[in-house]
Amino acid sequence: MSGTSTPAPAPDMLELAALLCSRVCHDLISPVGAIVNGLEVLDDTQKQEDRDFALDLIRKSAKTASARLQFCRLAFGAAGSAGAQIDLGDAQTMARGHLEDGKITITWNLPRLLLPKNRVKLLLNMLVIAQQTIPRGGVLTVDPVGEGDAMSFRVTSTGLNARLPQNIADILSASQASAIDAHAVQPHYTRLLAQDCGWTVTLAAEGQGIVVSAS
């Protein structure tokens, strides 16, 4: 009897769309909920210190929600018509706005140029995966592999207790056997984007860091 398990059937297009919507809602519910809480405090109190706290919470949460929406639109959304190209400078801005949070910083070593949208979407999703390997924070370093129209990407995460999430590595390689759910859809979607680009994505430990690469 073989020790390998057969991968579960991939979600169809409707299920994939539903799972990605669930993922986006999950990313937005926290800052939007904080805005609602802040508004409730404003309604319930006349104490100036409480109102100042509530307004500060609303401002910070609105900024976070906006950054996440802009990132999700680029990473998961249509981002223009079929065949559209996206400026890597815009991708850098979206990535910093969403991922740099006081614990994580990004070192961006890519040139500024236009690339096909699915290739840029792939890069942003690789950054999301790399972020999950450093739960206590650290540095995400984005490097080019090759140049010009053939350029692919390498994201190295370094930080205290950097870890390799084996379930994500298995999903990227299509070797995992469990069904794709809202928690697993993002690495699954990353693999689909890589396939569309004619590449594969790997997640592996390398020295003191974790590397997500596409080639």
Side-chain angles (χ1 to χ4, degrees), residues 35 51-64:
I35 293 171
R51 295 180 68 83
D52 290 343
F53 171 81
L55 285 170
D56 186 56
L57 175 64
I58 291 169
R59 290 189 190 96
K60 290 179 179 177
S61 300
K63 183 178 180 181
T64 298

Side-chain angles (χ1 to χ4, degrees), residues 23 127-135 163 165 168 183 186-187:
R23 167 64 194 240
L127 280 162
V128 172
I129 289 171
Q131 177 196 30
Q132 297 176 65
T133 69
I134 44 174
R163 61 185 181 86
I168 295 179
H183 296 289
Q186 192 273 325

Side-chain angles (χ1 to χ4, degrees), residues 20-143:
L20 285 173
C21 286
S22 294
R23 167 64 194 240
V24 172
C25 289
H26 176 271
D27 286 349
L28 291 175
I29 193 65
S30 178
V32 171
I35 293 171
V36 173
N37 292 338
L39 291 171
E40 290 176 347
V41 172
L42 288 178
D43 288 339
D44 293 342
T45 184
Q46 294 302 317
K47 292 182 179 180
Q48 190 58 46
E49 60 269 28
D50 291 342
R51 295 180 68 83
D52 290 343
F53 171 81
L55 285 170
D56 186 56
L57 175 64
I58 291 169
R59 290 189 190 96
K60 290 179 179 177
S61 300
K63 183 178 180 181
T64 298
S66 177
R68 290 186 182 182
L69 271 173
Q70 292 180 64
F71 182 90
C72 288
R73 177 179 177 271
L74 203 58
F76 305 127
S81 60
Q85 293 188 316
I86 296 174
D87 191 328
L88 281 179
D90 292 337
Q92 178 184 7
T93 299
M94 299 300 102
R96 291 191 186 280
H98 175 47
L99 299 175
E100 290 191 323
D101 58 1
K103 294 197 307 179
I104 289 179
T105 58
I106 298 175
T107 300
W108 190 275
N109 297 322
L110 300 181
R112 181 155 193 169
L113 74 163
L114 294 171
L115 288 178
K117 69 174 184 179
N118 277 356
R119 204 179 306 180
V120 179
K121 287 158 68 75
L122 171 62
L123 169 60
L124 295 180
N125 278 272
M126 289 168 62
L127 280 162
V128 172
I129 289 171
Q131 177 196 30
Q132 297 176 65
T133 69
I134 44 174
R136 299 185 65 178
V139 179
L140 302 177
T141 303
V142 189
D143 293 306

Side-chain angles (χ1 to χ4, degrees), residues 197-215:
C197 297
W199 297 332
T200 58
V201 179
T202 58
L203 177 65
E206 187 172 303
Q208 298 299 311
I210 307 295
V211 175
V212 189
S213 59
S215 60

